[in-house]
């Protein structure tokens, strides 16, 4: 596939950064360089984005493991070993990839009233995607300790021990807006709670979003999928109604891969995670970008469905050191109470 599709080109032209985007785009390749392979093998966390082949809804999830569970197994192939992961699986879903879907970051605290929250013992929403050969996926390895990140987008095939991704795009991003977390530990006795399917944002979900300094955004386009990082000071994501969120799109690398995808296809998935408790909040819906005359951009997300999973991930990270690039968050404006 080419470096940019029509959606990204349209946003680049609207903002006036096509020349810069062409320059930055030279960093995108298909090969996993030795430095990238070494980086992957140090990571305990991988974020994944894709569209569910059955429903078409886009979700972002995460898998965790002992460093080395993600590694390059060829010049253009990344393999993810999920066979070692623990967690409950439903016996009536034998097609679920072993452990991978369970550890996938579930979650979304969305509900207008407690009675709308229903127990959901099913697999992670990306379970079907992770077991379907040829699924376009976006992946992101982010290391808060070094504020480095690497994205690998391609097509998936299930394997005996998890799944592998053949790369279409491999690239790194700058550390801008990544919060530093100096250390992590694995909590061996942490047991994932039962996922709940939700339909609107209750108080707990709203507080989780308002206190977040990081979330992950999954998007798709006709040629593939992508996962990107979004960071800022707590409050940079606003809850504007029980089913709507908004956040500022800070200036970045000028490629506009995510906003370009949303220009072509509004489907999106969001993943919020609690870096201390491992609780995850996972949302799927549609997003659009508003461009203001002063050059600022705001992304507005409308919720379709969400999942909330207590203690979904076994990692506990140290408190953050906020990025010096973060603008002050406009906390409270337009938030619902």
């Amino acid at each position: 596939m080419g470096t940019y599709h029509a959606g990204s080109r349209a946003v680049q032209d609207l903002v006036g950064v096509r020349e810069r985007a062409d320059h930055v785009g030279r960093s995108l390749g298909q090969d996993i360089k030795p430095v990238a392979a070494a980086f992957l093998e140090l990571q305990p966390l991988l974020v994944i984005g894709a569209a569910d082949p059955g429903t078409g809804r886009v979700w972002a999830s995460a898998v965790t493991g002992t460093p080395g569970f993600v590694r390059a197994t060829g010049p253009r192939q990344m393999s993810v070993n999920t066979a070692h992961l623990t967690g409950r699986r439903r016996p009536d879903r034998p097609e679920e990839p072993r452990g991978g879907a369970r550890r996938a970051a579930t979650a979304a605290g969305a509900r207008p009233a407690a009675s709308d929250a229903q127990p959901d013992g099913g697999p992670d929403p990306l379970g079907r995607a992770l077991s379907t050969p040829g699924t376009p996926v976006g992946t992101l390895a982010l290391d808060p300790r070094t504020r480095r990140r690497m994205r690998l987008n391609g097509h998936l095939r299930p394997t005996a021990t998890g799944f592998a991704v053949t790369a279409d795009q491999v690239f790194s991003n700058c550390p801008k807006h990544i919060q530093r977390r100096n250390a992590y530990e694995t909590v061996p006795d942490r047991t994932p709670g039962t996922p709940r399917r939700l339909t609107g944002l209750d108080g707990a979900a709203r507080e989780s979003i308002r206190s977040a300094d990081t979330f992950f955004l999954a998007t798709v386009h006709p040629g593939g999928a992508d996962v990107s990082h979004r960071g800022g000071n707590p409050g940079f994501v606003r809850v504007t109604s029980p089913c709507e969120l908004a956040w500022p799109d800070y200036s970045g690398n000028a490629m506009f891969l995510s906003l370009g995808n949303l220009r072509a296809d509004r489907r999106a998935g969001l993943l919020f995670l609690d870096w201390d408790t491992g609780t995850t909040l996972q949302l799927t819906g549609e997003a659009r970008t508003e461009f203001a005359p002063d050059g600022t951009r705001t992304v507005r997300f409308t919720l379709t469905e969400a999942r909330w999973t207590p203690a979904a991930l076994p990692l506990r990270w140290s408190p953050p050191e906020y990025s010096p690039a973060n603008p002050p968050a406009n906390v409270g404006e337009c938030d619902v109470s």
Side-chain angles (χ1 to χ4, degrees):
M1 62 175 290
T3 302
Y4 302 116
H5 58 76
S8 292
R9 282 304 196 191
V11 179
Q12 292 166 9
D13 290 341
L14 183 62
V15 180
V17 294
R18 179 184 277 249
E19 184 175 346
R20 182 184 169 202
D22 287 341
H23 175 75
V24 176
R26 298 189 187 106
S27 66
L28 276 70
Q30 292 181 304
D31 294 335
I32 304 173
K33 304 297 185 184
V35 65
F39 175 76
L40 284 176
E41 292 199 22
L42 295 175
Q43 306 313 313
L45 172 70
L46 182 73
V47 181
I48 307 165
D52 182 301
T55 66
R57 293 178 177 177
V58 175
W59 296 91
S61 291
V63 288
T64 65
T66 301
F69 88 107
V70 180
R71 59 193 180 93
T73 50
R76 290 185 54 200
Q77 178 173 283
M78 178 183 71
S79 295
V80 183
N81 184 344
T82 62
H84 64 290
L85 300 179
T86 60
R88 296 187 299 274
R89 291 178 55 209
R90 291 177 60 184
D92 59 326
R93 295 300 296 267
E95 76 278 9
E96 178 185 347
R98 292 193 299 173
R102 181 65 202 96
R103 278 293 189 213
T106 47
R111 59 186 174 120
S115 60
D116 293 325
Q118 301 174 359
D120 185 352
D124 179 86
L126 279 187
R128 183 158 36 190
L130 298 183
S131 63
T132 302
T135 297
V137 297
T139 71
L140 170 65
L142 183 147
D143 190 342
R145 297 164 295 182
T146 60
R147 299 179 64 226
R148 294 173 60 198
R149 53 182 155 169
M150 170 186 164
R151 286 154 78 173
L152 186 151
N153 302 332
H155 290 76
L156 175 146
R157 64 178 177 85
T159 65
T161 57
F163 61 90
V165 181
T166 301
D168 294 324
Q169 292 181 325
V170 182
F171 59 105
S172 298
N173 292 124
C174 72
K176 197 173 185 182
H177 306 304
I178 297 178
Q179 327 310 339
R180 186 185 300 278
R181 290 174 164 89
N182 290 317
Y184 76 91
E185 63 177 324
T186 300
V187 184
D189 59 349
R190 181 178 286 171
T191 301
T194 300
R196 293 185 299 165
R197 179 181 177 273
L198 308 167
T199 56
L201 300 171
D202 69 355
R206 293 197 295 268
E207 180 56 31
S208 177
I209 293 168
R210 288 170 176 159
S211 63
D213 58 55
T214 300
F215 74 93
F216 301 93
L217 171 65
T219 56
V220 295
H221 61 88
D226 180 75
V227 172
S228 61
H229 158 277
R230 291 293 185 268
N233 289 341
F236 84 107
V237 185
R238 306 192 312 275
V239 180
T240 56
S241 84
C243 290
E244 292 183 336
L245 309 178
W247 63 87
D249 183 68
Y250 298 143
S251 61
N253 54 28
M255 291 192 290
F256 288 109
L257 298 183
S258 296
L259 297 197
N261 288 350
L262 294 177
R263 183 92 171 190
D265 189 327
R266 288 190 174 185
R267 290 177 294 165
L270 278 60
L271 170 65
F272 294 84
L273 61 89
D274 188 312
W275 298 86
D276 179 43
T277 68
T279 293
T280 55
L281 175 62
Q282 193 175 359
L283 302 90
T284 186
E286 294 188 350
R288 70 187 192 281
T289 309
E290 296 178 350
F291 297 83
D294 63 0
T296 60
R297 300 177 296 273
T298 300
V299 182
R300 300 193 182 277
F301 174 85
T302 302
L303 177 72
T304 299
E305 180 187 348
R307 297 215 182 175
W308 172 277
T309 305
L313 304 178
L315 305 179
R316 176 186 292 140
W317 292 83
S318 58
E321 299 174 12
Y322 298 125
S323 168
N326 292 345
N330 194 4
V331 180
E333 182 180 348
C334 297
D335 279 12
V336 297
S337 58

